[in-house]
Amino acid sequence: MADSRAERLYDWFDARLDLERGRTFLGKAFPAEDSFLLGEVALFCFLFLVLSGVFLGFFYEPSTSDVEYDGSVAEYQGEEMPEAFVSVLHITYTVPFGMFIRRLHHWAAHLFVASIGLHMLRVFFTGAYRNPREPNWVVGTGLAVLAMGAAYTGYALPFDEFAATATSIGYNLTVSVPLVGDFLGEIVFGGQFPTSATIPRLYFLHVLVIPSAIAVGLAVHMAILIRQKHTEAPRDGDVEAGDRTVDRDDDGVIVGLPAVPNQTAVSAVVFFLTAATLSALAGLLPVHNVAEYGPNDPAATPELIMPDWFLMWVYGFLKLLPTWLSFSVGPIHVSTEFLGGIVLPGLVFAAIVAWPFVDRTDPVHFTADPLARPRQTAVGVAAVAFVMIASIAGMNNILAEAVLGTSTGVVNPILTAALVGVPPLFAGITYLLLRGDGNGDGADPAANDDVADETAGGGSDD
C-alpha cells in the first residue's frame, strides 16, 4: 500500500514536472576523490556568509553620524561615537548570539578565500584547467578576486581605529590610478577617505554588489562544470561499474558517485563538517576586537597596520618598491602605490588567467600527475614561492624588529633579492628533480584526444 501511494505521488509530480527527464541529471557522476570537495567547502562557506550576514544586517547601521553610546561597554558609556561602531558594539555585546555570529561570519570569510585558493592550487597542479576547461578556470579566478573584494569591503564596516586605517590603504591605491583615480575613489569610497559616504558605499558593495557577482559567478561555474563534466584521476585499470566494465582509458565515462543519493550524502557530510569547523573557530577563537581599538580617529594612527593574510602579498609589493620608481609622463603621474598595489597584482592575476592558454593541449578528461609535468609544476612552485615571499615582505616590520632584532632597512634588500631570485631557483630545482625522475617528458599519459559526452555514476552509466 505504501509503495502504491509513493508511486501515485511520484506519478502525480512526474505528470507536472517531468521527473523522468531529471533522473538523467540526478544520476550524474561525481569522482569520489576528497580533494574535489574543496569547491564544495567554498560553496558552503559562501552560504554561511550570506546567512550570517543577513543576521548581522538586521542590527548594523552603515552610518558615521555620531550617536551617544549607552550599551554594556563601560569605557564608552555616554560617549558620542560613529553609529557604525556603536552598532557593532551592540551586536558583539548585547544582541543574543551576536558575538558568535560575528565571529562565524569572520571565519567563514577566511575559510571561503582559503578554500578557493586551495581549490585553484589543486586544479593547477593536476592540470584540470586544460582544454576544454579554460573558461571555468577564468571564472574561478574571477571568483577568487571577488572573494578578496568582499572581505576587503567588509573590513572597514565596524569603523574602528585599526580597520578604518587599514582600509585607507585601499583608498590610496584606488586614487593612485592615473587619470581616473579620483573618479574611482568617488565611486568606491564616496570621495576622500573617510567621508560620511564611505561606509554606506562599502556596505552597498559588501552586501549587494559583490555577493550578487559571486552568486552569478558560482552559477556560471557550476553550469560549465555540469556541461563539461568533472575531470577524474587516471584509473589503475578497468573498473567494474554496476553491470558493465569501464575501460581504463575510456574518457567518455566518469566513474564515481551518482549525484542522488550518494554524492548528496557526501555533500551533506561536507556541509556539516564545514559548519562544525566554523562553529568551533567562532566559539574558541576571538576576532577583531573593536572595543579595544576604539572608534576611528583621523588624528591618530595605530602602531601596527596590516591587511588580512590573503592581501598580505600585495602589501609586500608596496613595502618593497622604492619610491624612486615613481615617474611622470606629462600630466600623468605613475606612483609606486599604483605600480605595487595595482599593476603588479594585476599582472599576477593576468598570468593566472592566461596560463591555460599558454599550457595548450588537446582536449583531456583525466587529471595529470604533477610529478609527470616538470615544467608546469615548476611554474606552480615558483608562483607559490613568489606569493609567500611577498607576503613575508608585507610583515617586514615584524620580521625585522620582533624576529631578527634589526630594522626594515636591513631586511628589505634581502627580501627584494629573495622575491626576484628564489622563485626561479625553486622552479629550476623542481624541474631538474622531476625531469630526473624519468617521468618528466611533460606528456600526460592519461590524456586522450577526445572528450566524449557520456558519463557514468555509481558504477553505472546514465
Side-chain angles (χ1 to χ4, degrees), residues 64-87:
T64 56
S65 300
D66 284 345
V67 295
E68 183 176 331
Y69 179 70
D70 62 351
S72 56
V73 182
E75 64 182 293
Y76 297 125
Q77 278 285 350
E79 284 194 31
E80 295 279 338
M81 299 187 296
E83 196 169 9
F85 179 78
V86 170
S87 66

Side-chain angles (χ1 to χ4, degrees), residues 49-62 83-84 86-88 90-92 94-98 101-102 105 157 203 206-207:
L49 280 169
V50 172
L51 294 176
S52 58
V54 169
F55 177 88
L56 297 174
F58 284 125
F59 304 99
Y60 178 72
E61 295 291 342
E83 196 169 9
V86 170
S87 66
V88 174
H90 178 64
I91 291 170
T92 306
T94 307
V95 174
F97 303 105
I101 298 298
R102 183 170 162 247
H105 192 74
L157 298 187
Y203 185 65
H206 183 70
V207 304

Side-chain angles (χ1 to χ4, degrees), residues 228-357:
Q228 293 185 331
K229 297 177 285 297
H230 271 287
T231 56
E232 61 180 313
R235 302 162 189 148
D236 295 331
D238 297 345
V239 178
E240 295 296 329
D243 57 352
R244 62 179 293 185
T245 300
V246 179
D247 187 79
R248 177 181 185 276
D249 298 321
D250 186 353
D251 65 352
V253 179
I254 296 177
V255 177
L257 304 175
V260 178
N262 304 57
Q263 183 60 34
T264 301
V266 173
S267 297
V269 172
V270 174
F271 173 83
F272 287 114
L273 285 176
T274 304
T277 300
L278 293 176
S279 298
L281 290 171
L284 299 175
L285 298 181
V287 297
H288 190 70
N289 189 343
V290 295
E292 180 178 344
Y293 288 105
N296 175 53
D297 181 3
T301 302
E303 290 185 8
L304 184 63
I305 293 295
M306 60 177 58
D308 284 324
W309 59 269
F310 46 81
L311 291 174
M312 195 66 73
W313 57 286
V314 179
Y315 200 42
F317 293 154
L318 294 172
K319 288 195 170 185
L320 292 184
L321 282 185
T323 55
W324 54 261
L325 281 178
S326 297
F327 64 92
S328 297
V329 180
I332 301 175
H333 179 66
V334 178
S335 65
T336 51
E337 287 83 2
F338 175 64
L339 293 174
I342 304 294
V343 174
L344 285 181
L347 290 175
V348 169
F349 281 111
I352 294 173
V353 168
W355 178 251
F357 307 98

Side-chain angles (χ1 to χ4, degrees), residues 392-428:
I392 293 173
M395 299 178 285
N396 64 344
N397 50 343
I398 297 177
L399 175 66
E401 297 167 10
V403 178
L404 301 178
T406 183
S407 66
T408 56
V410 173
V411 300
N412 278 358
I414 300 173
L415 289 169
T416 302
L419 189 65
V420 175
V422 170
L425 176 64
F426 280 16

